Amino acid sequence: MPYFTSPVDGTRLHFVDHGPAEGPVVVFVNGAYLGTEMWEFQMLPLAAQGYRCVGLDRRGHGRSADVWDGYGLDGLADDLHGLLAHLDLSAVTLVGHSMGGLEIVRCLTRHGAGRVARVAFVAGIAPGIVRSADNPYGADAAVVRAANEACRRDRAAFFTASADDYFALGRPGNDVSGAYVQYVIGCCMTATARATAAVQDMIADADVTPEVPKLDLPVLVVHGTHDTSAPLEATGGRVARLAPDVILKPYENAGHGLYVTHADRLTEDLREFMTAR
């Protein structure tokens, strides 16, 4: 399995690299708690179509090393940029789910877009999920902190209780088997307790609102209308208003886990975005 060394502190980080080496490059940035396995319905078809699909297991997630430090947004963004440099990638399409969008924004504003051609936010939580003067539709900070504390007390119960809303299973067309739901819960549990708590604390404080207008490259925003983890108006809708060159694609009835429930549509939208721009 391929690994590289974090430029931040030497942490051993796992990555995957599928498809032809000479193909157009797509780098997938995972949501919280998940590893690169979350992108199976996008990576495999795109790789079969000739794209080079790369993904990083965030520190403390998937098959990357279990470490105590480095979960600040700057450090996570530096890990992502470190992978781009390690593989000497260029003209990259960055695709981030949930908190992966925060890492993408910070990576670009911290390191520039010299290696990146375009970005896609999939159910992203950027610019931030907590209510502020700039984000009146955000969640109350006390509610976010309480949810994080509930997760600390019982991660398994927290992920299990959140699963139906995550996939918006009560909405039409969102058909996910019980077996797959249990699989995703198990994947979430592979993130270490320390990594889980640390990224939750980071998310509770993160606000990249001033950075989004600096994204001087094409941006695709794909977001579910029934995403309770990152409500459209507070997150993806704000990116669409703030970034200078944006395509917004709302998915009716989709939730946070639209990469599964709307897998084929998302794969096609990503492919179209990469070929049209």
Side-chain angles (χ1 to χ4, degrees):
M1 292 186 292
Y3 290 85
F4 79 105
T5 299
S6 164
V8 177
D9 56 6
T11 295
R12 191 169 183 251
L13 300 175
H14 173 261
F15 67 94
V16 298
D17 191 349
H18 299 319
E22 69 278 5
V25 183
V26 194
V27 175
F28 291 88
V29 188
N30 315 325
Y33 328 125
L34 295 167
T36 52
E37 74 285 334
M38 70 168 285
W39 297 108
E40 63 176 300
F41 302 120
Q42 286 74 48
M43 275 194 178
L44 299 185
L46 288 172
Q49 294 170 20
Y51 290 87
R52 182 180 181 182
C53 296
V54 176
L56 168 67
D57 281 352
R58 184 182 294 109
R59 57 180 58 222
H61 292 61
R63 286 167 282 185
S64 287
D66 176 10
V67 294
W68 184 259
D69 293 319
Y71 296 100
L73 188 52
D74 284 353
L76 296 175
D78 291 352
D79 284 345
L80 174 57
H81 185 261
L83 176 63
L84 304 184
H86 173 73
L87 295 176
D88 194 22
L89 302 176
S90 60
V92 170
T93 299
L94 288 176
V95 180
H97 176 259
S98 192
M99 73 167 279
L102 293 172
E103 290 162 287
I104 286 173
V105 173
R106 183 58 54 84
C107 180
L108 292 173
T109 57
R110 190 168 167 84
H111 297 284
R115 295 183 178 273
V116 181
R118 62 190 67 81
V119 300
F121 299 102
V122 177
I125 64 173
I129 61 169
V130 175
R131 186 180 305 148
S132 67
D134 292 330
N135 186 17
Y137 300 102
D140 183 88
V143 173
V144 174
R145 298 287 183 188
N148 291 351
E149 182 56 34
C151 185
R152 286 181 177 83
R153 289 195 299 270
D154 191 335
R155 289 186 297 142
F158 177 84
F159 293 132
T160 300
S162 305
D164 284 5
D165 285 342
Y166 183 83
F167 291 112
L169 294 184
R171 304 300 303 177
N174 296 335
D175 300 320
V176 182
S177 72
Y180 197 86
V181 170
Q182 290 303 310
Y183 164 71
V184 172
I185 293 170
C187 290
C188 290
M189 290 297 294
T190 64
T192 67
R194 166 59 183 167
T196 299
V199 298
Q200 286 179 336
D201 286 343
M202 185 275 286
I203 290 169
D205 293 329
D207 184 359
V208 296
T209 301
E211 298 169 58
V212 174
K214 300 176 183 178
L215 300 181
D216 188 20
L217 71 182
V219 174
L220 172 67
V221 175
V222 174
H223 215 101
T225 60
H226 288 74
D227 188 332
T228 57
S229 301
L232 173 59
E233 188 62 27
T235 53
R238 294 182 66 219
V239 170
R241 293 190 295 273
L242 290 168
D245 183 6
V246 182
I247 299 169
L248 172 62
K249 292 199 172 187
Y251 283 15
E252 188 65 32
N253 292 316
H256 207 52
L258 60 80
Y259 61 94
V260 175
T261 58
H262 295 66
D264 292 343
R265 179 178 174 185
L266 174 60
T267 301
E268 178 57 25
D269 280 341
L270 291 174
R271 190 198 61 78
E272 179 181 306
F273 176 59
M274 291 185 287
T275 56
R277 304 297 293 268

